[in-house]
Amino acid sequence: MNVRGAEPAKGNDAALQQELKQSGNIPVHIAVIMDGNGRWAKTRGLPRIAGHNEGVESVRDTVEACGQLGVKYLTLYAFSTENWKRPQDEVSMLMRLLMRALRDETDKLHRNNVRVHTIGETQSLPREVQAELYDAIEKTKENTGLNLFLALSYSGRWDLVRAVKRIAEDTQAGTITPEQVTEQLIECYLSTKNVPDPDLLIRTSGEMRISNFLLWQLAYSEIYISNCYWPQFRRNELYAAIRNYQSRERRFGMVSEQLK
Ligand code: FPP
């Protein structure tokens, strides 16, 4: 049996986490649109890559805090299908940063019982990034703590098109019939198969858009917009988002009385 857990929080942080755990539900699945790296850098007169670099620190802190809180799934929108259209030098720098972050962090993630997964068209990533990514996935595959999903070269429409194509192929091959196409079946064809839908979607930098993220999966997620840029988003911001989530009533289309 794997008895390892995330390294425990210390001091005041441990108290804050305890308070969150006691005051309500900790979301099972948190999805994050990490936005504002470029603006963070610009307001400081720094190159955009400095914002991405600092953003890695926020990733580190958020992953660690989620593990300690007992969040089971964390999905980070790290590189969208549309991000390939950015200037070539920014794309190259982002890829190098990703590769370095995976190389430097995998051992720690493993020690903290985090299991790494990915969603997206990962074959289009540079070979060296794929190698680090698959190494992290392989090394952590037995871990039982936080499931960290890195959405890379991902978009919600890409996910849906891929699912529809596969359903069409299976229908043509006679493995399924059109009558068998239900919500549950579609979920099995999405890249998030067997992963519960996000309870909470956090987006930073004050923007109110879904930006082609988990279009199907976010149907009933609670949305929390943080006004800080991603490089400023650290565990205290995460706690604020969870506290806010805990104050919401999730009705899933029903009325309050039905939930009692
Ligand atoms: C959005 O900011 C951020 C990204 C497109 C990249 C996110 C990547 C990281 C935080 C670093 C690597 C990630 C991992 C998982 C190690 P933006 O550039 O769109 O900012 P802007 O809207 O202010 O220009």
Side-chain angles (χ1 to χ4, degrees), residues 34-40 48 51-53 55-56 59 76-80 83 86 90 94 97-98 101-102 150 205 207 229-230:
M34 307 181 286
D35 192 19
N37 292 354
R39 277 164 286 169
W40 179 88
R48 291 178 59 81
H52 297 312
N53 266 321
V56 175
V59 169
L76 301 178
Y77 204 9
F79 195 84
S80 74
N83 286 154
R86 290 192 174 197
E90 181 167 345
L94 269 170
L97 184 64
L98 191 61
L102 285 163
L150 299 176
S205 89
E207 305 285 355
Y229 295 136
W230 177 250

Side-chain angles (χ1 to χ4, degrees), residues 56-57 59-61 63-64 97-112 114 116 132 136 139-140 148:
V56 175
E57 296 301 320
V59 169
R60 199 174 282 135
D61 203 38
V63 169
E64 191 175 275
L97 184 64
L98 191 61
M99 197 172 66
R100 205 169 344 115
L102 285 163
R103 190 183 300 152
D104 295 348
E105 298 301 322
T106 297
D107 284 343
K108 188 173 178 208
L109 291 170
H110 187 42
R111 277 200 305 280
N112 283 338
V114 175
V116 179
E132 293 296 341
K139 201 172 227 166
T140 61
L148 171 63

Side-chain angles (χ1 to χ4, degrees), residues 175-225:
T175 18
I176 55 169
T177 63
E179 292 69 37
Q180 284 173 315
V181 179
T182 58
E183 287 190 16
Q184 288 73 20
L185 181 122
I186 292 172
E187 275 160 14
C188 293
Y189 283 82
L190 292 170
S191 60
T192 47
K193 181 182 173 188
N194 295 331
V195 177
D197 288 342
D199 300 293
L200 172 63
L201 169 72
I202 299 173
R203 181 170 186 146
T204 56
S205 89
E207 305 285 355
M208 308 217 185
R209 283 190 295 278
I210 290 180
S211 296
N212 209 354
F213 196 23
L214 302 157
L215 296 179
W216 173 280
Q217 298 86 340
L218 292 172
Y220 280 101
S221 307
E222 295 297 324
I223 300 179
Y224 179 85
I225 306 291

